[in-house]
Amino acid sequence: MTIGNLNPNNEIGSSAWFVEMENNRILLDCGLHPAILGSAALPCFDLISTEKLDAIAITHCHQDHCGSIPVAMQYFPAASVLMSELSYYLLPRILHNSVNVMKKQAVEQNIPEYPLYTHEEVTILEPRFQGFRYDREIEWISFSKTCLGIESPTLEFIDAGHTLGSCGILLRSPNGESLFYTGDCCLHDQTLLRKARFDNVQADVLLLECTRGDHPNIVDHKTEMDRLGEAIIRAQKAKRSVLIPVFALGRTQEILTELALLMGNDKILPQKIYIGGLGRHFTDLYDQTASYTNRNYPKLRFGELMDLQTIEPNSLSKIRLSKPHIFVLTAGMMSENTPTHDLAIRFMQDPELSILFVGYASPDSPAGRLKAAIPGEPFFFSEFAPEIVCRCNREEFDLTGHAYRDELIDLVGKVSPKTVLLAHGSPEAKNWVKENIQRRYPDIQVLDPQPKEFITLDSTA
Ligand SMILES: [Zn+2]
Ligand SMILES: [Zn+2]
């Protein structure tokens, strides 16, 4: 088996793994780096451009795992594109949204190579997407090979508990080799989504996400979510607005669940919740698919319980912040040309208002810079606010849709692989995971494939 890391950077973003099993080739994830502009945000598809790729399979619909599918399909027009059934509902909207963002950036930030793909391309590609239920074994080699009687490796999507539709991917080849790619996974319950269902997974090679490897876990999910609830209650009592920057898929719905619980328990008054258009779309999908997702509160429907107010592009400036509004807005990294970015600039000027951070932000994104800003000192937020002082209240909550690092080490024991390959984490995060696997399971080989590195393993030996 050969595995290639196509991510050009040694950091989270642009996830893409090439896997060759017995002359069959698959690409696991096709990410686009959310904080890098232009074609530098793409995985290194050039490294495999001469390969005959059978299929592309994606773990979930976050930009860093699926944002470059249309570009990959320019390289590999014959490959089928496989995903979980729930991701199948989400993906076209994610890709069309990326086109909109890139088109705006092309003009406002002068990036002539944008958009990297068009709405027309996405529309043409859509019929080639295939969605599958979790835990079903699928053959993935090209149809022409099947006609020749070649036996296909299989693939299974296994619920990863990270966002709606997220999965780990289990590959098995006819000669008995197996690889399990965790994708982004959550190994504990979140407020809404329940944890990954990886309990019965075993594989020779484990491609393991390491996001939280550099992050000791001090509090559990429920304690931290309760603390966020208290901050929201305080702001409501003081009749002040709060801004919670979130990713449209996953974190938005987790925060809305907390707000629904606060309202249901009379901790805050029923009121409008302002959310972004993309967040609204995915929230509706969470409602529509609620009966067959692995979640807490199976009867909770956001659309019925809450007055969700979608922010239109030009309506934001008319909303007065002197009232106790709650904004649960994308983008989580406060990227330029998004409602969160523009609202954050207004928030920063008022000491009575609060920005509540509930997730990861790349250090080179506006949200990352705001988190790191020294109180009272001017800092570079974005081109649109190059020297701003943050006067508002800022709080951070350690909420995550990723596995805690000790849970990752436990997972290694359950999967019981011969080799672990480290993925999706800072060098510090991967080092911690490596050291702890080696300490606890000295017989397991741990490798850290570098950007653009290909590793061949004989896992049948
Ligand atoms: Zn993710
Ligand atoms: Zn990710």
Side-chain angles (χ1 to χ4, degrees), residues 12-13 15 60 62 64-65 162 183-184 211 402 424:
I12 293 170
S15 285
H60 66 294
H62 279 155
D64 58 323
H65 297 261
H162 171 67
D184 290 355
T211 316
H402 291 274
H424 203 280

Side-chain angles (χ1 to χ4, degrees), residues 255-313:
I255 300 301
L256 291 181
T257 306
E258 176 65 13
L259 291 171
L261 296 175
L262 291 176
M263 286 182 199
N265 295 327
D266 297 325
K267 298 272 178 69
I268 60 172
L269 291 172
Q271 61 190 284
K272 283 179 194 160
I273 304 294
Y274 292 92
I275 69 171
L278 193 61
R280 177 63 194 262
H281 179 80
F282 295 147
T283 300
D284 289 342
L285 271 169
Y286 266 71
D287 277 351
Q288 287 156 15
T289 59
S291 61
Y292 55 101
T293 17
N294 183 29
R295 57 185 260 176
N296 298 315
Y297 313 109
K299 297 213 163 77
L300 186 154
R301 300 290 180 276
F302 300 112
E304 292 167 14
L305 270 179
M306 311 178 91
D307 183 3
L308 298 175
Q309 196 74 25
T310 310
I311 294 276
E312 302 300 338

Side-chain angles (χ1 to χ4, degrees), residues 71-310:
V71 181
M73 291 172 83
Q74 292 163 8
Y75 280 85
F76 311 107
S80 49
V81 184
L82 316 173
M83 66 203 77
S84 72
E85 183 188 26
L86 295 164
S87 287
Y88 177 80
Y89 299 133
L90 299 164
L91 185 63
R93 181 65 192 254
I94 290 269
L95 297 177
H96 282 296
N97 183 66
S98 293
V99 176
N100 289 337
V101 172
M102 286 189 281
K103 279 178 138 180
K104 263 184 148 184
Q105 289 173 327
V107 179
E108 292 175 14
Q109 287 165 276
N110 190 26
I111 305 162
E113 58 195 327
Y114 272 178
L116 298 171
Y117 47 88
T118 63
H119 288 300
E120 293 72 23
E121 258 179 288
V122 175
T123 307
I124 291 168
L125 296 176
E126 267 178 55
R128 287 175 49 204
F129 298 165
Q130 297 174 47
F132 296 92
R133 289 272 163 114
Y134 289 134
D135 308 320
R136 197 189 131 187
E137 216 167 345
I138 307 147
E139 298 190 341
W140 54 262
I141 58 169
S142 65
F143 186 60
S144 55
K145 281 188 188 167
T146 311
C147 293
L148 293 171
I150 294 171
E151 204 182 341
S152 177
T154 62
L155 166 163
E156 231 176 288
F157 294 118
I158 302 171
D159 189 350
H162 171 67
T163 59
L164 188 70
S166 66
C167 57
I169 299 175
L170 179 59
L171 300 177
R172 288 196 192 98
S173 77
N175 72 356
E177 285 182 310
S178 56
L179 175 144
F180 183 59
Y181 172 37
T182 60
D184 290 355
C185 65
C186 197
L187 301 174
H188 55 269
D189 282 0
Q190 301 181 59
T191 307
L192 182 64
L193 288 193
R194 289 201 180 138
K195 64 182 177 182
R197 290 191 280 193
F198 291 171
D199 285 346
N200 299 319
V201 175
Q202 296 218 309
D204 306 318
V205 179
L206 174 62
L207 183 52
L208 179 70
E209 76 123 313
C210 299
T211 316
R212 304 252 321 174
D214 54 1
H215 207 107
N217 214 63
I218 298 156
V219 287
D220 64 25
H221 180 88
K222 165 109 184 30
T223 308
E224 201 62 355
M225 193 58 109
D226 287 348
R227 195 166 72 83
L228 173 68
E230 292 301 324
I232 294 167
I233 294 167
R234 273 200 308 278
Q236 289 276 298
K237 283 188 178 150
K239 302 207 178 319
R240 295 294 173 185
S241 290
V242 295
L243 166 61
I244 307 173
V246 284
F247 292 111
L249 175 65
R251 193 48 49 86
T252 293
Q253 295 76 26
E254 292 293 329
I255 300 301
L256 291 181
T257 306
E258 176 65 13
L259 291 171
L261 296 175
L262 291 176
M263 286 182 199
N265 295 327
D266 297 325
K267 298 272 178 69
I268 60 172
L269 291 172
Q271 61 190 284
K272 283 179 194 160
I273 304 294
Y274 292 92
I275 69 171
L278 193 61
R280 177 63 194 262
H281 179 80
F282 295 147
T283 300
D284 289 342
L285 271 169
Y286 266 71
D287 277 351
Q288 287 156 15
T289 59
S291 61
Y292 55 101
T293 17
N294 183 29
R295 57 185 260 176
N296 298 315
Y297 313 109
K299 297 213 163 77
L300 186 154
R301 300 290 180 276
F302 300 112
E304 292 167 14
L305 270 179
M306 311 178 91
D307 183 3
L308 298 175
Q309 196 74 25
T310 310

